Amino acid sequence: MLKIPEHQVAGHHASNGTLGPLIDDSGRFYKPLQGDERGSAEAAFYKQFSSNTQIPDHIRKFFPIFYGTQVMTASDGSEHPHIVLQDLTSSRLNPTIMDIKIGSRTFGHEASDAYIAKCLKRDRETTSLQLGFRISGLQVYINDESGFYKPPRDDVLKSGLDDVRFLFRRFVSSNLAPAAVPQELEANAALASNVYGGTDGILAQLLELKAWFEDQTMYHFCACSLLFMFEKRLALEGVRPNAQVKIIDFAHVTEGKGVIDHNFLGGLCSLIKFISEVLGDCEEHKTDQEGDS
Amino acid sequence: MLKIPEHQVAGHHASNGTLGPLIDDSGRFYKPLQGDERGSAEAAFYKQFSSNTQIPDHIRKFFPIFYGTQVMTASDGSEHPHIVLQDLTSSRLNPTIMDIKIGSRTFGHEASDAYIAKCLKRDRETTSLQLGFRISGLQVYINDESGFYKPPRDDVLKSGLDDVRFLFRRFVSSNLAPAAVPQELEANAALASNVYGGTDGILAQLLELKAWFEDQTMYHFCACSLLFMFEKRLALEGVRPNAQVKIIDFAHVTEGKGVIDHNFLGGLCSLIKFISEVLGDCEEHKTDQEGDS
């Protein structure tokens, strides 16, 4: 039983004449191969990566499990090749998700003039060049009646530095209102220590990835994204909310040729600094309150 | 008594109608202000930085001491403004020096289209885009008769990945021949553990800088260089060779605005990996020899 995934916050959707992403009941995600060389590049990456014995287990867990490729038949009988992956949200109820494209630049050093020009324009229009990453999309669970806060993709991409700071706080806020209210009321970041902090929180996972990126010289992860996910209902109850970081979208991965991926690593370090600051602010705030009581 | 510095391996030299860099007997280096906004930008950076109380001492030591600006009069009576700095090589006999421009890109995120196009072209033609840095120049002491190995600037800038690997080995080799000999004979990297290694070696200093760059959000050091310096004669005698890392050339520094300098940090991490590899190879080689004996 295949259906359209509910929790995709960025990336490609179905359009006329294509079959979009699908999920099944057994926890698999069917990602359509993009028609040009990107689709085959991503499938080739997954094949190579899944059999690469040099990837330590504590790093492999950041990547979706790869089940192969499969041709899917649409209702009109047309055939569409898909990459079959682990559905990262299948075991989650109402996941809160953020998609962050990492890197100050989204093109490889051997890209063509035209491709560089296109990517550089986008990297300058968004926060990529300034911050080393850009938020590509997010959904934050509010409650069962209101569903999710999920701003339009184009609005998210127009974020500036202050918006990004705000979104990292809002992502872990307990007081999200369904309707528009002044933003400063909506970002108490109350869940930060439960989601970003702790030995299994998002920051700890980012630091684990960072240590690998300081050393690995096999791949350059151009234009890849990190997904942050957690279950907000658990976080609100004070339970550990199953916070996870995953790395996705490998259509532009290139060979590292013995050089570290300094573009991804730099962006990752910048992201770590932003998350650390939200966490630091909240812990300072807590200490102040304890001091007052 | 002013004279022309002997040990400059990169950067601007005197040309018609200008007064080039000068040094005096008291250990000061007089750097001509570049005529356009770059000169005033660099002077402004030094002024601001030298009075910035947020710079820890263990980081300030990586920067040349700033003594102010001074107008110098040329022999034809014309006047030229200079920045007066610590002469980094004054206390060294026959210094071996490498100048490495750090960053995958050498332009800031708010640079103009024309400036970006110019820098990007250069960053693609050199190793900057691929490696996150490029070697801008070097001189390696051979002996008193032969002087220095100092390849022409344009040759150095044409280096590819393999050349860069080789230059990092040659920089710490004991067997530099004055005349051209096959390169593989000339890079035993015998001095690596004495120059790159150790608690006060170049790698330890780079790691100290890295820790600061993971945290500091005050400055973006666009198009700055790291200098590596040591005294080869001491290294050959097995004495600690006074290895030092310095950061120079601040004409394109911009405000960090609360964001880390992910471009510099990424390049620095890439450089650290290259230096670690030379060091690792040498230590492995030593262990092999010890195992054989």
Side-chain angles (χ1 to χ4, degrees), chain A residues 31-191:
Chain A
K31 178 175 180 170
L33 252 72
Q34 291 166 272
D36 50 22
E37 68 279 6
R38 289 175 297 174
S40 51
E42 182 157 34
F45 169 79
Y46 270 114
K47 275 176 206 160
Q48 199 280 334
F49 184 85
S50 62
S51 62
N52 183 344
T53 54
Q54 291 181 276
I55 310 298
D57 287 346
H58 75 278
I59 294 302
R60 194 176 291 282
K61 72 164 193 267
F62 289 109
F63 292 76
I65 300 167
F66 172 62
Y67 296 108
T69 53
Q70 190 172 322
V71 174
M72 313 291 283
T73 308
S75 52
D76 67 357
S78 60
E79 297 194 323
H80 304 270
H82 281 61
I83 302 174
V84 189
L85 301 169
Q86 171 190 16
D87 176 9
L88 298 173
T89 62
S90 69
S91 62
R92 292 174 180 274
L93 200 62
N94 305 314
T96 288
I97 305 178
M98 188 182 279
D99 180 305
I100 307 161
K101 195 183 281 281
I102 305 293
S104 177
R105 60 177 158 81
T106 51
F107 53 89
H109 77 274
E110 292 179 323
S112 68
D113 289 359
Y115 190 73
I116 288 178
K118 181 183 141 192
C119 291
L120 183 59
K121 180 171 184 290
R122 190 82 159 163
D123 297 341
R124 291 173 73 190
E125 286 167 352
T126 63
T127 61
S128 292
L129 196 60
Q130 182 181 12
L131 307 189
F133 62 83
R134 62 179 178 246
I135 298 178
S136 301
L138 75 158
Q139 67 173 28
V140 185
Y141 178 69
I142 302 168
N143 56 41
D144 282 352
E145 289 109 61
S146 306
F148 290 89
Y149 161 69
K150 190 170 179 176
R153 179 178 164 80
D154 283 349
D155 290 0
V156 175
L157 287 172
K158 278 183 206 140
S159 299
L161 170 54
D162 290 335
D163 303 314
V164 166
R165 283 212 176 93
F166 177 74
L167 287 174
F168 284 135
R169 295 180 60 83
R170 183 177 240 189
F171 187 63
V172 291
S173 288
S174 62
N175 59 341
L176 258 202
V181 296
Q183 292 202 331
E184 62 273 19
L185 297 180
E186 272 205 272
N188 62 4
L191 312 175

Side-chain angles (χ1 to χ4, degrees), chain B:
Chain B
M1 174 67 190
L2 293 163
K3 53 184 183 177
I4 292 168
E6 283 172 69
H7 301 304
Q8 218 187 346
V9 299
H12 300 270
H13 293 266
S15 55
N16 286 341
T18 72
L19 196 62
L22 296 166
I23 53 172
D24 69 15
D25 296 332
S26 70
R28 297 191 176 197
F29 176 78
Y30 299 78
K31 178 175 180 171
L33 251 72
Q34 291 165 272
D36 51 21
E37 68 279 6
R38 289 176 297 173
S40 50
E42 182 157 32
F45 168 78
Y46 270 113
K47 276 177 206 159
Q48 200 280 333
F49 183 84
S50 61
S51 63
N52 183 344
T53 54
Q54 291 181 277
I55 310 299
D57 287 346
H58 75 278
I59 294 303
R60 194 177 290 284
K61 72 164 193 270
F62 289 109
F63 292 76
I65 300 168
F66 172 62
Y67 297 108
T69 53
Q70 189 172 322
V71 175
M72 312 292 282
T73 308
S75 52
D76 66 356
S78 61
E79 297 194 325
H80 304 270
H82 281 62
I83 302 174
V84 188
L85 301 168
Q86 172 190 17
D87 176 9
L88 298 173
T89 61
S90 69
S91 61
R92 293 174 180 275
L93 200 62
N94 305 315
T96 288
I97 305 178
M98 186 182 280
D99 180 305
I100 307 161
K101 196 184 280 281
I102 305 294
S104 178
R105 60 177 157 81
T106 51
F107 53 89
H109 78 274
E110 291 179 323
S112 67
D113 289 0
Y115 190 73
I116 289 178
K118 182 184 142 192
C119 291
L120 183 60
K121 180 170 183 293
R122 189 81 160 163
D123 297 341
R124 291 173 72 190
E125 285 167 354
T126 62
T127 62
S128 292
L129 196 61
Q130 183 182 10
L131 307 189
F133 62 84
R134 63 179 178 247
I135 299 178
S136 301
L138 75 157
Q139 67 173 28
V140 185
Y141 178 69
I142 302 167
N143 56 40
D144 282 350
E145 289 109 61
S146 306
F148 290 90
Y149 162 68
K150 190 170 176 174
R153 179 180 164 81
D154 283 349
D155 290 0
V156 175
L157 286 172
K158 277 183 206 139
S159 301
L161 170 54
D162 291 335
D163 304 312
V164 167
R165 283 212 177 93
F166 177 72
L167 287 174
F168 284 135
R169 295 179 61 83
R170 183 177 241 190
F171 188 64
V172 291
S173 288
S174 62
N175 59 340
L176 258 202
V181 298
Q183 292 203 330
E184 62 274 19
L185 298 180
E186 272 205 90
N188 63 4
L191 311 175
S193 53
N194 207 357
V195 174
Y196 293 152
T199 53
D200 60 352
I202 281 179
L203 182 59
Q205 294 179 53
L206 294 177
L207 291 171
E208 208 172 353
L209 261 184
K210 172 181 172 238
W212 186 62
F213 271 93
E214 286 174 347
D215 190 55
Q216 78 83 17
T217 61
M218 293 176 280
Y219 305 108
H220 283 196
F221 290 94
C222 283
C224 292
S225 285
L226 290 180
L227 280 188
F228 291 176
M229 292 176 292
F230 71 99
E231 291 190 51
K232 190 163 161 196
R233 209 177 330 209
L234 297 178
L236 287 168
E237 290 167 11
V239 179
R240 295 300 291 169
N242 192 13
Q244 271 191 324
V245 175
K246 294 282 179 181
I247 176 168
I248 59 165
D249 292 344
F250 305 105
H252 300 284
V253 172
T254 60
E255 279 182 49
K257 297 183 180 168
V259 179
I260 67 163
D261 187 351
H262 44 89
N263 179 55
F264 192 102
L265 177 59
L268 178 59
C269 290
S270 177
L271 177 61
I272 284 170
K273 179 71 176 172
F274 276 82
I275 300 299
S276 302
E277 282 179 349
V278 176
L279 201 51
D281 288 350
C282 295
E283 282 166 4
E284 204 172 287
H285 183 64
K286 267 193 199 165
T287 314
D288 287 352
Q289 285 184 324
E290 283 163 13
D292 290 346
S293 68

